[in-house]
Amino acid sequence: MKRRIIIICAGLLMALPIVAQEFRMGALAGVNLNVPSDLESGIGFRVGVKVELALPTVANGFYTESGLALSSIPWKTEKLYNPKTDVTAQDKATPYYLNIPLHVGYKWNCGQNAKFFINAGPYLNVGLFGKIKNTTMDTNHKELQSVSLNYFSYLGNDSRVDWGIGFGTGFELARHYQMSVGYEWGMRDIMPSQSYNYRNRTFTFQLAYMF
């Protein structure tokens, strides 16, 4: 038994340099453009870390990508006029999620220090915090009253989890610098109790530095 343990440990130690060469970690920052179904769009941001693991055993160029990012995905409703009260109301929300993608991709060499890449796969958003603001206005669109509430307390804990499919494409320069655009297609109706159908539809623009 001891001999087997020693052989296994020795094998793992020998494999570490290979894994280290194929594993990379980096920092990312970007912009979100959320265009949800049945609601108006909003602009947010994302910051976090990402990891890549090359898959040379599959084929040169294949890799997997994941990470953790703080992501704001804002939205707002249309301005709705109530003739009975003679006021207009609108909701504006800015929820913040922990974004966790799990993508598979491929990289093509397109120059001595440049690569073009694509990736796709599922993602998970876990709600952290946020605010939703209800504003009422008169006929001249002058603010009458504004009420701000905790986003996830107001909508319920069911709204904390979102999942879907993500796609991305971009360029990598000098092995360290990445610029990409992507799209996250939410598959879950986050607010089924509301009169509108809310599924995230988020375009992303992202910069990353890989160490």
Side-chain angles (χ1 to χ4, degrees), residues 14-23:
M14 293 176 64
L16 280 176
I18 299 174
V19 174
Q21 290 178 2
E22 308 301 340
F23 177 83

Short mmCIF file of all heavy atoms in Angstrom, two decimals, residues 14-23:
data_model
loop_
_atom_site.label_atom_id
_atom_site.label_comp_id
_atom_site.label_asym_id
_atom_site.label_seq_id
_atom_site.Cartn_x
_atom_site.Cartn_y
_atom_site.Cartn_z
N MET A 14 5.24 14.57 -10.98
CA MET A 14 5.77 14.66 -12.34
C MET A 14 4.80 15.34 -13.28
O MET A 14 5.20 15.99 -14.25
CB MET A 14 6.11 13.25 -12.85
CG MET A 14 7.26 12.58 -12.11
SD MET A 14 7.53 10.88 -12.67
CE MET A 14 8.02 11.17 -14.36
N ALA A 15 3.48 15.20 -12.99
CA ALA A 15 2.46 15.80 -13.87
C ALA A 15 2.24 17.27 -13.60
O ALA A 15 1.74 17.99 -14.47
CB ALA A 15 1.14 15.05 -13.71
N LEU A 16 2.62 17.74 -12.40
CA LEU A 16 2.38 19.14 -12.04
C LEU A 16 2.98 20.13 -13.02
O LEU A 16 2.32 21.10 -13.42
CB LEU A 16 2.88 19.42 -10.62
CG LEU A 16 1.97 18.96 -9.48
CD1 LEU A 16 2.65 19.20 -8.13
CD2 LEU A 16 0.63 19.66 -9.53
N PRO A 17 4.24 19.98 -13.45
CA PRO A 17 4.78 20.94 -14.41
C PRO A 17 3.98 20.98 -15.71
O PRO A 17 3.81 22.03 -16.32
CB PRO A 17 6.21 20.44 -14.64
CG PRO A 17 6.54 19.65 -13.42
CD PRO A 17 5.23 19.00 -13.03
N ILE A 18 3.47 19.80 -16.17
CA ILE A 18 2.69 19.76 -17.41
C ILE A 18 1.39 20.50 -17.23
O ILE A 18 0.98 21.30 -18.07
CB ILE A 18 2.44 18.29 -17.81
CG1 ILE A 18 3.78 17.58 -18.06
CG2 ILE A 18 1.56 18.22 -19.06
CD1 ILE A 18 3.64 16.10 -18.33
N VAL A 19 0.68 20.23 -16.09
CA VAL A 19 -0.58 20.91 -15.81
C VAL A 19 -0.37 22.41 -15.69
O VAL A 19 -1.16 23.21 -16.18
CB VAL A 19 -1.23 20.34 -14.53
CG1 VAL A 19 -2.46 21.14 -14.15
CG2 VAL A 19 -1.58 18.87 -14.72
N ALA A 20 0.73 22.79 -15.00
CA ALA A 20 1.01 24.22 -14.81
C ALA A 20 1.20 24.93 -16.14
O ALA A 20 0.80 26.08 -16.31
CB ALA A 20 2.25 24.39 -13.94
N GLN A 21 1.81 24.21 -17.12
CA GLN A 21 2.01 24.82 -18.43
C GLN A 21 0.70 25.01 -19.16
O GLN A 21 0.56 25.92 -19.97
CB GLN A 21 2.95 23.94 -19.25
CG GLN A 21 4.39 23.95 -18.75
CD GLN A 21 5.27 23.03 -19.56
OE1 GLN A 21 4.81 22.43 -20.53
NE2 GLN A 21 6.53 22.92 -19.18
N GLU A 22 -0.28 24.15 -18.89
CA GLU A 22 -1.56 24.21 -19.60
C GLU A 22 -2.60 25.05 -18.89
O GLU A 22 -3.62 25.39 -19.46
CB GLU A 22 -2.10 22.79 -19.81
CG GLU A 22 -1.14 21.82 -20.46
CD GLU A 22 -0.68 22.27 -21.83
OE1 GLU A 22 -1.36 23.11 -22.44
OE2 GLU A 22 0.37 21.79 -22.29
N PHE A 23 -2.38 25.36 -17.62
CA PHE A 23 -3.35 26.11 -16.81
C PHE A 23 -2.92 27.57 -16.71
O PHE A 23 -1.76 27.87 -16.44
CB PHE A 23 -3.45 25.50 -15.41
CG PHE A 23 -4.36 26.27 -14.49
CD1 PHE A 23 -5.73 26.06 -14.52
CD2 PHE A 23 -3.86 27.20 -13.58
CE1 PHE A 23 -6.58 26.75 -13.67
CE2 PHE A 23 -4.70 27.89 -12.74
CZ PHE A 23 -6.05 27.67 -12.78
#
